[in-house]
Amino acid sequence: MKRALHGLAGLLVLAARSLSAESPPWADLVHLEQLPRIRAGHQVLLRSSYCPDGCRFDRTSDGDTRFLRLDDGEAVIFDEPGAGAIARIWMTMGPGVSAPLDPRIRIRIRLDGETRPRIDRPLADLFRGDVAPFLSPLVADRLASSGGNVSYVPIPYRKGCVVSLLGAKTKRLWYQITYHRLATSDGVTTFTGREDLSEWRQRLARAGESPWPTAARAESVSVELQPGSPRTIADYDGPDTLQALRIRVSPDDVERVLLSLRVDGAERVSMPLADFFASAGADDELPYRTVLLGTDAQGFLYSYFPMP
């Protein structure tokens, strides 16, 4: 006997709003209305511990260095000229499994061609969560994340940035650095370590709640779904923006229910709920929860991506 699927969907629709004054692209976490903007001369890039000279292995061994160069005993892992910002640092170390960062390793970050580091501290301090401005939830150590240590504290620079590690030359350490590259330094203020990132931290702490102002119109619909029988849960005419989509189904059904979104007569989305909302359903031991996508505390799958 075919089993009925039960779903509860909530839809918010908001008239399109004008964008605020332009802020640096790494500040989109706070200024979410700028997410759709494609900026001229802007790139997002990644530097990692994958061997930079073409060798086969992402590891430390003779002849397989993960560093760009050694400067007076410092292992340089990042060297970028021009204007931009580091937006994410991820690191882990250990003999095949994640282990605590060696407290003897120091990280040094030099900005704008300066010889004196703006940051010079034990590597683990970046991820403990209690050393300003590297405060949780903008940072997390290996126990608070998925085994790695991560920082989302933005580190802007106008003329370049060099990141090096002291005491890591022979360590089994892996890293990723996500950074923005800009065509000009206009509007960029170099990192000082005294930045007020409280709004960033509050936004992350409220992940799962709508990040948008009060919507112009909201609707809730409850439907019973039968296998092979599509149901329309919302149909709107005219110019607008779909600002939020929240759906609740049994965790066992997130891979069985297909979501279709048609915008201006064209199908833009056609995929299982599990794929659209990044949900593992009943297998979710720790539900995915980000500012724009995930599963909230009430069990609703949510998307706050604006869809004009």
Side-chain angles (χ1 to χ4, degrees):
M1 182 175 64
K2 292 185 177 179
R3 182 165 61 92
L5 310 175
H6 298 277
L8 177 65
L11 295 170
L12 274 66
V13 178
L14 175 70
R17 295 176 292 117
S18 60
L19 296 177
S20 63
E22 185 165 326
S23 59
W26 49 88
D28 284 347
L29 175 62
V30 175
H31 304 285
L32 291 175
E33 68 277 4
Q34 295 195 23
L35 279 175
R37 177 174 291 174
I38 299 176
R39 305 163 190 249
H42 171 223
Q43 294 175 288
V44 180
L45 304 163
L46 177 74
R47 166 82 177 100
S48 80
S49 52
Y50 183 81
C51 185
D53 60 3
C55 57
R56 294 178 54 197
F57 304 107
D58 181 17
R59 60 183 176 87
T60 296
S61 62
D62 293 340
D64 283 355
T65 179
R66 66 191 55 232
F67 307 122
L68 295 176
R69 63 180 183 274
L70 294 176
D71 285 346
D72 296 328
E74 296 183 29
V76 177
I77 62 174
F78 181 81
D79 188 352
E80 171 72 5
I86 291 176
R88 170 180 169 269
I89 300 175
W90 175 92
M91 290 190 180
T92 190
M93 67 180 303
V97 295
S98 177
L101 294 172
D102 189 328
R104 296 170 293 182
I105 299 176
R106 297 187 70 85
I107 185 169
R108 292 175 175 172
I109 301 180
R110 296 174 171 87
L111 306 176
D112 297 347
E114 298 171 342
T115 57
R116 183 176 180 179
R118 291 285 181 109
I119 296 174
D120 183 1
R121 61 176 71 246
L123 180 59
D125 282 6
L126 250 64
F127 311 108
R128 279 174 26 201
D130 59 358
V131 179
F134 298 93
L135 301 173
S136 61
L138 285 175
V139 305
D141 63 17
R142 68 186 185 95
L143 299 179
S145 65
S146 58
N149 303 270
V150 64
S151 167
Y152 290 101
V153 173
I155 304 175
Y157 44 87
R158 294 176 56 85
K159 299 179 182 178
C161 175
V162 177
V163 181
S164 60
L165 300 174
L166 186 65
K169 185 171 61 174
T170 61
K171 303 298 182 181
R172 296 179 63 83
L173 186 148
W174 293 261
Y175 60 85
Q176 296 176 356
I177 297 177
T178 303
Y179 62 103
H180 295 251
R181 179 185 290 169
L182 301 181
T184 74
S185 61
D186 294 346
V188 178
T189 300
T190 300
F191 176 85
T192 65
R194 299 183 298 274
E195 288 76 8
D196 180 7
L197 302 178
S198 57
E199 191 173 359
W200 296 56
R201 295 172 61 212
Q202 291 169 13
R203 176 61 57 83
L204 284 179
R206 296 194 303 266
E209 302 175 13
S210 174
W212 304 113
T214 302
R217 186 171 72 217
E219 295 184 6
S220 295
V221 180
S222 179
V223 297
E224 182 176 290
L225 303 177
Q226 298 293 337
S229 300
R231 292 285 302 273
T232 298
I233 60 175
D235 190 355
Y236 302 109
D237 293 321
D240 240 326
T241 296
L242 180 63
Q243 194 182 51
L245 174 63
R246 299 175 71 241
I247 297 178
R248 185 165 62 189
V249 299
S250 165
D252 295 325
D253 291 331
V254 293
E255 295 184 1
R256 303 176 62 212
V257 177
L258 184 72
L259 174 67
S260 175
L261 292 175
R262 297 183 64 84
V263 179
D264 294 340
E267 188 171 60
R268 304 298 185 184
V269 172
S270 180
M271 63 180 68
L273 296 180
D275 294 338
F276 186 84
F277 294 101
S279 171
D283 295 329
D284 259 345
E285 295 183 10
L286 184 63
Y288 185 76
R289 188 173 299 162
T290 69
V291 171
L292 291 176
L293 195 75
T295 304
D296 68 18
Q298 289 75 44
F300 276 89
L301 305 169
Y302 66 87
S303 170
Y304 295 122
F305 278 102
M307 291 179 273

